[in-house]
Amino acid sequence: MENILMVGAGSVGGFFGAHLAKNNPNVSFLLRPKTLAAVKQNGLTIRSASGTFTVHPPAASDPRELPKPDLIILSVKAYDLDEVMGQLDPVLTDQTVILTLQNGVDTEDRLIARLQRDCVVGGVAFIYSKIAAPGVIDHYKKGAVAIGELMGHKSPRLLAIAEIFKQAGIPCQLTDDVRKSKWEKMCWNCVFNPLTVIVDDKVAKTLEHPEMLRVIHQIVQEVAAVAASVKVPLSPDMAEKVVRWTQEIRDIHTSMYDDWKAGRPTEIDYLNGYIVRLGRELGVPTPVNEALTAMIKTITEKEKTGPGVVRIDGSVVQPVAFDRAAMQQLPGEYHVQDVSTVMPGMMGKAIKVKGLLDVPALGIKADHVTFHSLDGKYAATLTLQQARDFGLLLYELNGEPLPEGRGGPYRLITPGLGDHCANVKGVGRIEVRVGSGKDTRPPAEERTNC
């Protein structure tokens, strides 16, 4: 266990890795470019109530530039595992040991299935810390690990890893049932990670109402039922334990909450979402976890932007965005199945602009609509009534999205407007206005008839 490679320097890996590197020159870090640049320039800093320190460990974004590791400690998000393992493949040997410190309960199995050998030690991290900036971790509470062999024995490599943590001053518990330990933490994660996002508050908020305590019990009961189905029986009073464990950390936000607020992806698919998928496979109902998964995805999903999306904003109560699938869900009266019936020589399907404008609540005095191309170069302004009466967005050709070469993904046409014809290719934004707006079309006298 001479050379140790920390993969990631986030709130978990940054804290434990910095402590390991404090008095051990053989600890190195595999980092993303942004974090790597910060660590190379300023070092890796841990700020805590017990003191602040900075280490300057070897670091790279390519593991081949670092000493070949005997021990790899994974602390990346569960959804990054496959990408990271692809990076690590060139430095793995038959003797490399991997310690996991990630949320979820399937990381170890995923690794064993990929590597086809006994190289994985399971781990659970107990810590409350946050990324203050790339290369800077603010530590607030706890800071311990529990590790164990998947078969439960006290192997030489397990004892060696425990000694590494001990020498770094990190409390390290040896567990003879690490799968159970991970499922117990899974119960906590499946409760408080999504609930703190839904209530948009700290853990304490979820503990203050009897109705929510009943929901907490339902969540844990579903997780425990799934765990039992894969032969990991949990304590009958697991829900009470989860609530009891949480009393001393009532003031914290969760990692999912922090990821949401920072605009990062969440691990919902590897927590509640995993319970739902496994429950379906095993025939175990998980309706509360399914609801939580759906709500978190709805809350945290960023608004769609870019090609394929049209945003309606401006003089509206609330902006709204449409992609092709959303347009197709509008009532049939707003669809033109064959544009050639209203505009000879042009083929494809279109949506009536009126259908789009009927969705958002428009400003009281709104009277014009400007259609902007996605690149911002072209625009056409119509009166609100013209847009409703004549505007069509062509979006489909031969059953496929309208290609860019034909003005896609959305092309504005206005059959029936005569020399007031508007034709904007690549429409990406519809701006509702009070008063006229941008118009890049030639003067009316120079326009040809539609």
Side-chain angles (χ1 to χ4, degrees):
M1 299 292 177
E2 181 176 353
N3 291 318
I4 302 168
L5 177 61
M6 294 295 307
V7 181
S11 57
V12 174
F15 175 83
F16 291 117
H19 279 273
L20 293 176
K22 199 172 182 180
N23 297 304
N24 188 341
N26 296 319
V27 176
S28 56
F29 284 76
L30 179 65
L31 303 174
R32 294 188 183 278
K34 187 176 180 180
T35 305
L36 176 63
V39 170
K40 280 189 172 294
Q41 181 174 349
N42 303 312
L44 175 59
T45 298
I46 306 300
R47 304 189 304 203
S48 178
S50 60
T52 296
F53 69 92
T54 300
V55 294
H56 297 270
S61 57
D62 185 339
R64 292 170 293 187
E65 299 175 10
L66 299 167
K68 186 162 288 190
D70 303 302
L71 172 65
I72 295 173
I73 301 179
L74 293 177
S75 62
V76 296
K77 295 292 185 179
Y79 50 73
D80 285 331
L81 181 63
D82 291 335
E83 177 188 351
V84 161
M85 291 310 298
Q87 286 183 280
L88 291 171
D89 277 340
V91 299
L92 296 177
T93 71
D94 290 341
Q95 285 73 46
T96 309
V97 177
I98 300 175
L99 172 66
T100 63
L101 292 179
Q102 292 153 297
N103 285 331
V105 293
D106 68 335
T107 299
E108 293 77 15
D109 292 333
R110 290 168 65 191
L111 289 171
I112 292 171
R114 179 187 181 103
L115 300 174
Q116 295 293 303
R117 65 184 181 86
D118 176 25
C119 60
V120 180
V121 174
V124 182
F126 303 98
I127 185 172
Y128 177 46
S129 55
K130 293 185 179 183
I131 303 172
V136 181
I137 308 300
D138 284 346
H139 170 241
Y140 299 100
K141 291 186 178 182
K142 297 184 177 291
V145 296
I147 63 174
E149 289 283 2
L150 300 182
M151 297 299 291
H153 59 295
K154 299 291 191 297
S155 65
R157 69 185 185 186
L158 183 70
L159 298 176
I161 295 171
E163 183 63 24
I164 289 170
F165 280 104
K166 179 181 177 181
Q167 291 178 1
I170 300 170
C172 179
Q173 174 191 352
L174 297 182
T175 173
D176 57 6
D177 194 346
V178 71
R179 288 192 184 275
K180 182 178 180 181
S181 298
K182 292 180 75 71
W183 273 97
E184 289 177 341
K185 187 178 180 184
M186 184 74 156
C187 288
W188 192 95
N189 279 329
C190 284
V191 169
F192 294 105
N193 272 288
L195 289 184
T196 50
V197 172
I198 290 169
V199 302
D200 193 7
D201 210 329
K202 299 181 290 294
V203 165
K205 188 74 170 179
T206 67
L207 297 171
E208 293 173 354
H209 302 283
E211 294 87 352
M212 187 62 84
L213 289 176
R214 286 194 286 272
V215 171
I216 289 172
H217 276 70
Q218 289 175 296
I219 298 168
V220 174
Q221 287 167 4
E222 291 180 6
V223 176
V226 173
S229 296
V230 293
K231 298 183 172 50
V232 183
L234 301 179
S235 171
D237 64 344
M238 195 67 231
E240 287 81 4
K241 285 184 176 180
V242 165
V243 173
R244 187 166 63 249
W245 293 338
T246 312
Q247 298 304 327
E248 62 179 300
I249 52 173
R250 293 171 63 92
D251 61 322
I252 74 166
H253 291 123
T254 61
S255 60
M256 185 176 290
Y257 181 94
D258 291 337
D259 287 339
W260 170 46
K261 290 298 185 180
R264 297 187 292 263
T266 74
E267 293 184 294
I268 189 66
D269 278 331
Y270 297 89
L271 300 177
N272 307 77
Y274 177 79
I275 296 301
V276 173
R277 292 193 304 276
L278 191 54
R280 286 175 182 161
E281 292 176 14
L282 300 170
V284 178
T286 57
V288 182
N289 280 276
E290 185 167 3
L292 290 172
T293 302
M295 285 187 277
I296 293 304
K297 290 192 172 187
T298 302
I299 292 169
T300 62
E301 185 177 273
K302 294 181 180 179
E303 184 180 43
K304 295 178 180 178
T305 59
V309 175
V310 174
R311 177 183 170 88
I312 302 178
D313 59 18
S315 184
V316 296
V317 173
Q318 183 69 39
V320 63
F322 290 90
D323 59 13
R324 183 164 164 256
M327 289 181 186
Q328 290 174 324
Q329 295 303 312
L330 291 175
E333 64 194 85
Y334 296 129
H335 293 270
V336 178
Q337 300 296 329
D338 183 1
V339 171
S340 67
T341 60
V342 293
M343 197 164 188
M346 184 169 282
M347 299 175 60
K349 291 183 180 181
I351 190 78
K352 293 179 181 179
V353 170
K354 176 179 174 11
L356 302 181
L357 293 176
D358 280 352
V359 174
L362 307 187
I364 301 300
K365 295 184 179 181
D367 57 5
H368 283 76
V369 180
T370 301
F371 298 82
H372 298 269
S373 63
L374 193 63
D375 59 14
K377 294 180 180 179
Y378 304 102
T381 295
L382 305 177
T383 67
L384 180 57
Q385 197 59 49
Q386 286 174 332
R388 282 175 165 159
D389 290 347
F390 302 104
L392 296 177
L393 281 190
L394 192 66
Y395 69 88
E396 187 175 298
L397 184 63
N398 298 324
E400 298 293 333
L402 185 67
E404 186 176 337
R406 300 290 296 272
Y410 305 106
R411 177 175 178 174
L412 172 69
I413 56 175
T414 55
L417 274 187
D419 62 1
H420 294 291
C421 168
N423 188 335
V424 178
K425 298 178 180 179
V427 174
R429 178 183 173 220
I430 298 176
E431 178 190 13
V432 180
R433 297 183 52 83
V434 177
S436 188
K438 181 179 179 182
D439 200 322
T440 61
R441 293 178 296 166
E445 61 272 13
E446 297 179 19
R447 297 178 200 156
T448 59
N449 292 338
C450 290

